[in-house]
Amino acid sequence: MKKTKLFAGLLVASSCFTLLTGCGGSSDGSSSEASANEITFWNPFTGADNSNLLKLIDEYNATDPDFKIKNVSLKETDMYSKIPTVVNSGKNIPDLNIVHAERIQQYVDNDMLESYDDILGDYTNITAENYVAEAWNLGEIDGSRYSLPFDIHNWGTYYNQDLLEKYAPNALDDNILTFDEITEAGKKAAADDVRGIAVTWVKPNYLSLLAQEGGSLSEDGITPTLDTAAATDAITEWKTLFDEGVTTKDGEDPTQLFLAGKLLFMPEGIWLQNNIKDAEFEWGLTNSPQLSDDISQTVNWASSHQFVMFKNSERSEEKTQGIMDFIEWIRTNSVEWAKAGQNPASLDILSNEEYQEMPQSLFISSAEEQATLKIFDYKYNGYVAEYLDANGFDAIFGKTSIEDFVNNMQKEVADKVAKDN
């Protein structure tokens, strides 16, 4: 069980509010080209985590590499809209890019990515055994490697230690929080006007439970399977918690309730730590809510930021080697990224004593915990996410029926997939 009152320096990740650049990058990555000895590096880190990234890049550039990194941090939506435009035009294509794991399959299918196959042999430490498996494995498609992992970030559950001792003193002895334990503790807490668990971002809450129920987004990688019994059970589990008075109510702010000491459990991403670091009570971080207390059955929704190279006829072999030098350096120098509330994908981080004290280290500290991390890399994951973001809260709060929620999800996603194909 990871507990802390404060970890100074942890910064919330993936907050994309404004467009920032550093290390000589242009505002949109297109108006200034890198020099022959620079690697133009596009990424979607424009929130508080941008400062951590810039420190990493400055540290690397201070080693006087043959190719220095020119950072271009773009608002996430802007970056993803620019990528197909520049790749199709053949102009101002970044040398190196960070993208989310869920997008890689589509980029490969659209013949947009270079593989690392021809150069990986020269970097014998950039291998599967040195990375978290879930982050490493998705980069290999049809026998070729198209991405290398930077991190693996996931969903977990924050808890108020004082409230835990009052309402569920033994629930986390095994570091696994079950829905039965949530229900029991939540009903006790409700008597004191304390919420048992927060209804937060529906997508990771729902997807981790869908996998626990034995469901999947697609059986063949294309056709969605979203109107199954597993899909129904996954959303019903959360609806039942709400009906029994265990959850937060529609319109309530979970983070504010948590900080006010009025919320026991808050499912959230490991990157949220900066938002609660000044809480006036001891808090901890554990696994996402689970159906079973068996660690081998535990599922924590995860995603990963991955290094990719979009096809670019102007990228020289020397520059590609410079890119690999940077990725190899990151492999053993990623503690600054961990300070952004992330889990580096490189297992080298486990030997760092400072990292071992960070709450999110729980999730990669053992082989059993690493196996709980699941990236839903369905090619059309974005369509599922859009539906869940737009309709998930209504299903949980009883504004739409579970049957309509599930049936409409299948139809909407299937229609979009058919249009794409």
Side-chain angles (χ1 to χ4, degrees):
M1 193 184 305
K2 287 285 178 180
K3 302 177 183 177
T4 184
K5 284 189 176 180
L6 170 65
F7 188 86
L10 285 175
L11 300 171
V12 63
S14 301
S15 303
C16 301
F17 301 118
T18 180
L19 186 148
L20 303 171
T21 60
C23 303
S26 65
S27 63
D28 64 1
S30 60
S31 61
S32 99
E33 296 182 2
S35 73
N37 293 323
E38 284 183 329
I39 292 168
T40 304
F41 175 40
W42 283 19
N43 57 77
F45 305 126
T46 59
D49 51 5
N50 182 265
S51 63
N52 299 80
L53 179 70
L54 294 183
K55 287 179 182 178
L56 273 176
I57 291 173
D58 286 345
E59 284 181 42
Y60 178 72
N61 286 342
T63 67
D64 196 26
D66 292 337
F67 291 84
K68 292 190 174 183
I69 303 299
K70 176 184 177 181
N71 186 67
V72 181
S73 293
L74 298 164
K75 185 177 178 181
E76 184 176 319
T77 52
D78 290 344
M79 187 189 77
Y80 284 126
S81 67
K82 287 176 181 292
I83 285 171
T85 301
V86 298
V87 173
N88 287 333
S89 72
K91 299 178 180 179
N92 298 316
I93 301 171
D95 298 307
L96 180 65
N97 218 115
I98 286 284
V99 300
H100 288 85
E102 296 85 352
R103 294 182 178 258
I104 293 170
Q105 181 69 59
Q106 278 195 316
Y107 289 141
V108 172
D109 289 349
N110 291 330
D111 195 28
M112 295 172 66
L113 292 182
E114 297 280 5
S115 82
Y116 288 92
D117 294 349
D118 292 339
I119 197 168
L120 265 179
D122 296 332
Y123 293 83
T124 56
N125 289 318
I126 302 181
T127 55
E129 57 266 27
N130 289 329
Y131 289 87
V132 177
E134 186 72 358
W136 175 267
N137 292 340
L138 64 86
E140 184 169 322
I141 299 174
D142 297 330
S144 290
R145 174 150 298 279
Y146 291 98
S147 70
L148 295 170
F150 181 28
D151 64 28
I152 183 163
H153 47 280
N154 65 278
W155 206 243
T157 306
Y158 295 90
Y159 58 89
N160 179 315
Q161 180 63 31
D162 295 336
L163 297 180
L164 182 73
E165 292 175 359
K166 183 175 183 179
Y167 299 115
N170 302 117
L172 292 182
D173 288 352
D174 57 2
N175 232 343
I176 299 177
L177 177 66
T178 67
F179 280 91
D180 287 343
E181 290 168 332
I182 292 168
T183 300
E184 182 181 356
K187 288 181 176 179
K188 294 176 182 178
D192 296 329
D193 196 31
V194 172
R195 305 291 181 259
I197 189 167
V199 178
T200 50
W201 190 15
V202 175
K203 185 182 82 170
N205 285 324
Y206 172 80
L207 292 181
S208 65
L209 191 48
L210 176 69
Q212 293 174 55
E213 295 280 7
S216 64
L217 299 180
S218 174
E219 295 295 335
D220 61 9
I222 297 177
T223 306
T225 54
L226 304 170
D227 55 356
T228 61
T232 298
D233 291 344
I235 197 66
T236 299
E237 191 74 45
W238 279 96
K239 173 68 163 50
T240 300
L241 288 179
F242 171 72
D243 289 342
E244 294 185 349
V246 171
T247 71
T248 50
K249 299 176 182 178
D250 189 13
E252 290 183 328
D253 185 329
T255 303
Q256 292 307 311
L257 281 174
F258 190 76
L259 291 172
K262 289 290 187 178
L263 174 61
L264 176 51
F265 300 119
M266 183 171 65
E268 260 295 350
I270 60 175
W271 55 86
L272 189 79
Q273 295 169 55
N274 193 55
N275 293 37
I276 61 171
K277 65 182 178 63
D278 294 325
E280 297 180 355
F281 53 82
E282 187 175 0
W283 56 267
L285 177 63
T286 190
N287 293 286
S288 301
Q290 303 294 316
L291 294 173
S292 168
D293 60 4
D294 183 348
I295 187 66
S296 69
Q297 302 300 313
T298 297
V299 178
N300 291 304
W301 173 92
S303 185
S304 174
H305 295 114
Q306 299 265 327
F307 292 107
V308 299
M309 296 183 294
F310 287 102
K311 288 195 170 182
N312 182 0
S313 61
E314 298 180 359
R315 185 188 297 110
S316 66
E317 291 183 7
E318 292 76 16
K319 183 168 284 191
T320 299
Q321 184 172 333
I323 288 169
M324 294 299 294
D325 290 344
F326 174 58
I327 294 174
E328 167 59 14
W329 183 88
I330 287 287
R331 187 184 67 81
T332 57
N333 293 274
S334 53
V335 68
E336 185 62 39
W337 192 238
K339 292 178 183 179
Q342 299 278 15
N343 269 328
S346 168
L347 295 177
D348 181 82
I349 194 68
L350 294 176
S351 64
N352 186 285
E353 292 183 1
E354 183 178 8
Y355 172 74
Q356 293 171 8
E357 297 301 316
M358 298 182 188
Q360 76 271 21
S361 66
L362 162 72
F363 297 102
I364 65 170
S365 61
S366 68
E368 291 80 9
E369 278 291 343
Q370 288 180 38
T372 72
L373 303 177
K374 180 173 176 56
I375 297 174
F376 292 79
D377 57 340
Y378 173 43
K379 179 178 178 178
Y380 299 105
N381 180 75
Y383 294 149
V384 179
E386 288 171 4
Y387 184 86
L388 292 173
D389 290 345
N391 301 281
F393 288 109
D394 285 349
I396 293 171
F397 292 132
K399 296 182 179 181
T400 187
S401 72
I402 297 297
E403 182 179 9
D404 285 346
F405 169 80
V406 173
N407 291 340
N408 291 339
M409 177 162 54
Q410 173 68 23
K411 183 179 186 305
E412 183 174 308
V413 175
D415 287 348
K416 290 181 178 179
V417 170
K419 184 178 179 180
D420 278 1
N421 284 280

